[in-house]
């Protein structure tokens, strides 16, 4: 069952249970503990008084009162004192004991804050690893949705190589002002150009190169109807190298922009959506998936667990040869099957998608697949950090 990351305030999460990073007294404190008590109301404190505290690494359960969850599971994380005082084991135990309590109370979903990473000072990256591995192990034998709630955005610092890879490979038009969409009437320059376009063509008043650029602009303008697309070479950021590359390729992009728009639209639409394409596929996505699972020697459940996909969705895919997965689902299976880049691309194609350099999501996925790193939780952490959809469901 899935492990998901969400940004926000845990007191607003509608899970069956939320976990509180409490202190040993269980009588409230600062940080997430204070927020939970404030949102739950005084009845929570009254019930907590009856529990007589909690040991570090243990967990106790109460009602949710005015919170949108049924239960609050209070666990006490270790104070970080260098990492050699049993902190990793105690932190892991917080997750395991909380998950066990959630399961005993028939919870189907449970949300965790990043325990111990606030005033208790646990390094966020290490704490995130422990949280993920404890949850992953638990989910191998339990049907539950586990949410990690990050309050201030991602609670880990992210991979430097990935941000470098993104800088190098992500073609991000808006950042580098490769083209700017302007309202036709808003810009005097655009209006002037429009007027010029209306004049009969004077053959030699423009160089051949300029004419080509004008024609390309016209074509693109037509596509946008009420909008006009113009090209500028100044980069919005300070990256001179990218800026130069952008300006060198400007003309090429002018001609290609229209078809690029169409390709992007096609890439974001699964091919199976068109009934005519369905019959034309020799092997469907679903058939390919099942074949590759067999070839890998994995069981179905190993595969959907690794893909962070829930059993119900997998059964749907299994029983419908023409099932049309979303792009993140298709990629989740490619990752679960540990496919090398070419095969991952082939699988994606079967679902009607392609990797695009203008999609940050795709660039992040490619980074991991090229390195043959197939840990879906690590991939999701990075996708989450960049505000991208997560793999699995
Ligand atoms: P601890 O004492 O275990 O370190 P803290 O409450 O100080 O607990 O912080 C634990 C984590 O909870 C921190 O990463 C903090 O950013 C996060 N946090 C604080 N308030 C909330 C909230 N309302 N929802 C989710 N997470 C929160």
């Amino acid at each position: 069952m899935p492990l998901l990351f969400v940004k926000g305030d845990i007191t607003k999460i509608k899970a069956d249970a939320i976990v509180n990073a409490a202190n040993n007294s269980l009588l409230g404190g600062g940080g997430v503990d204070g927020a939970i008590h404030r949102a739950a109301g005084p009845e929570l404190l009254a019930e907590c008084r009856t529990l007589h505290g909690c040991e570090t690494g243990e967990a106790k359960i109460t009602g949710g009162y005015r919170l949108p969850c049924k239960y609050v599971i209070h666990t006490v994380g270790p104070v970080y004192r260098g990492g050699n005082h049993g902190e990793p084991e105690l932190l892991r135990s917080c997750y395991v004991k909380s998950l066990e309590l959630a399961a005993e109370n028939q919870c189907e979903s449970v949300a965790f804050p990043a325990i111990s990473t606030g005033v208790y000072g646990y390094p966020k990256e290490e704490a995130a690893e422990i949280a993920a591995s404890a949850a992953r192990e638990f989910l191998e034998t339990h049907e539950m949705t586990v949410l990690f709630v990050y309050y201030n955005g991602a609670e880990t610092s992210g991979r430097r190589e990935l941000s470098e890879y993104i800088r190098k490979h992500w073609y991000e038009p808006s950042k580098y002002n490769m083209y700017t969409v302007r309202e036709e009437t808003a810009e005097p320059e655009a209006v002037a150009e429009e007027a010029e376009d209306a004049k009969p063509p004077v053959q030699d008043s423009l160089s051949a190169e300029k004419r080509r650029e004008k024609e390309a602009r016209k074509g693109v303008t037509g596509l946008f109807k009420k909008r006009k697309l113009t090209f500028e070479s100044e980069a919005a950021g300070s990256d001179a190298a990218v800026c130069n590359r952008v300006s060198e390729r400007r003309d090429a992009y002018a001609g290609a922009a229209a078809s690029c728009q169409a390709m992007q639209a096609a890439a974001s639409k699964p091919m199976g959506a068109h009934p005519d394409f369905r019959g034309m596929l020799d092997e469907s996505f679903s058939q390919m998936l099942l074949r590759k699972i067999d070839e890998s020697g994995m069981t179905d459940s190993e595969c959907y667990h690794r893909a962070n996909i829930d059993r119900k969705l997998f059964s749907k895919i299994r029983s419908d040869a023409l099932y049309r997965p979303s792009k993140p689902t298709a990629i989740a299976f490619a990752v679960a099957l540990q496919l090398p880049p070419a095969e991952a691309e082939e699988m994606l194609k079967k679902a009607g998608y392609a990797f695009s350099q203008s999609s940050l999501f795709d660039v992040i996925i490619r980074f991991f697949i090229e390195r043959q790193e197939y840990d879906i939780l690590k991939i999701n952490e990075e996708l989450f950090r960049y505000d991208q959809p997560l793999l699995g469901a």
Side-chain angles (χ1 to χ4, degrees), residues 305-319:
H305 271 122
R306 281 195 200 187
N308 206 28
I309 298 280
D310 82 7
R311 186 168 47 82
K312 280 187 216 139
L313 176 59
F314 182 80
S315 309
K316 228 188 254 174
I317 299 174
R318 196 177 218 310
S319 58

Side-chain angles (χ1 to χ4, degrees), residues 69-89:
C69 57
K70 272 191 250 166
Y71 303 108
V72 178
I73 295 172
H74 307 262
T75 187
V76 184
V79 175
Y80 190 78
R81 291 186 290 138
N84 300 320
H85 297 81
E87 294 95 325
E89 294 74 21

Side-chain angles (χ1 to χ4, degrees), residues 108-141:
E108 289 181 3
S109 54
V110 57
F112 283 90
I115 300 165
S116 282
T117 64
V119 295
Y120 283 4
Y122 213 110
K124 294 184 172 184
E125 202 78 48
E126 286 169 48
E129 290 266 339
I130 292 171
S133 89
R136 194 189 345 224
E137 205 177 301
F138 180 84
L139 290 175
E140 276 167 20
T141 51

Side-chain angles (χ1 to χ4, degrees), residues 312-385:
K312 280 187 216 139
L313 176 59
F314 182 80
S315 309
K316 228 188 254 174
I317 299 174
R318 196 177 218 310
S319 58
D320 179 359
L322 298 177
Y323 187 86
R324 180 168 52 83
S326 68
K327 192 170 185 180
T329 298
I331 293 174
F333 281 116
V335 168
L337 288 161
Q338 311 204 336
L339 300 183
E343 282 184 49
E345 218 146 329
E346 193 197 353
M347 177 161 233
L348 207 55
K349 239 190 197 164
K350 282 283 176 201
Y353 304 105
F355 284 120
S356 157
Q357 252 190 296
S358 63
S359 153
L360 178 56
F361 173 82
D362 291 4
V363 170
I364 295 171
I365 298 294
R366 280 212 70 113
F367 170 86
F368 284 99
I369 292 182
E370 277 174 17
R371 280 157 189 73
Q372 314 231 333
E373 288 182 28
Y374 298 108
D375 184 335
I376 212 147
L377 297 181
K378 291 230 161 80
I379 300 176
N380 273 349
E381 262 178 34
E382 296 296 343
L383 288 169
F384 178 76
R385 189 186 324 284

Side-chain angles (χ1 to χ4, degrees), residues 8 16 55 71 77 150 201 211 236 251 261 263 275 316 325 350 353:
D16 289 342
E55 296 290 319
Y71 303 108
Y150 288 145
R211 261 205 309 279
D251 289 351
Q261 294 283 342
M263 273 161 58
K316 228 188 254 174
K350 282 283 176 201
Y353 304 105

Side-chain angles (χ1 to χ4, degrees), residues 126-283:
E126 286 169 48
E129 290 266 339
I130 292 171
S133 89
R136 194 189 345 224
E137 205 177 301
F138 180 84
L139 290 175
E140 276 167 20
T141 51
H142 294 81
E143 295 289 323
M144 197 184 282
T145 296
V146 177
L147 290 152
F148 286 145
V149 183
Y150 288 145
Y151 192 47
N152 305 313
E155 309 275 3
T156 54
S157 57
R159 276 176 73 166
R160 168 106 63 81
E161 313 136 78
L162 174 59
S163 57
E164 276 160 17
Y165 183 90
I166 289 171
R167 259 170 64 82
K168 221 163 135 198
H169 295 274
W170 184 28
Y171 155 56
E172 185 198 7
S174 60
K175 183 168 173 193
Y176 297 112
N177 253 355
M178 293 180 71
Y179 47 76
T180 315
V181 178
R182 293 180 182 158
E183 293 298 333
E184 275 182 7
T185 49
E187 294 280 341
E189 190 199 315
V191 175
E193 273 190 21
E194 212 44 49
E196 200 189 318
D197 287 348
K199 285 185 211 160
V202 183
Q203 271 311 306
D204 293 310
S205 66
L206 289 169
S207 70
E209 193 190 346
K210 281 214 158 150
R211 261 205 309 279
R212 268 202 308 278
E213 191 173 326
K214 259 175 82 71
E215 287 309 310
R217 286 183 190 181
K218 271 193 211 162
V220 175
T221 307
L223 250 183
F224 279 84
K225 296 242 166 67
K226 286 177 89 181
R227 303 192 126 197
K228 190 172 187 71
L229 209 58
T230 59
F231 293 84
E232 296 175 1
S233 60
E234 311 84 34
S238 57
D239 191 329
V242 176
C243 176
N244 287 340
R245 218 173 64 208
V246 165
S247 109
E248 273 165 29
R249 292 186 184 173
R250 187 180 51 186
D251 289 351
Y253 281 125
S259 51
C260 190
Q261 294 283 342
M263 273 161 58
Q264 280 182 13
S268 65
K269 253 193 193 164
M271 207 163 82
H274 195 299
D276 293 342
F277 282 124
R278 291 186 160 207
M280 288 162 60
L281 296 172
D282 42 350
E283 184 187 41

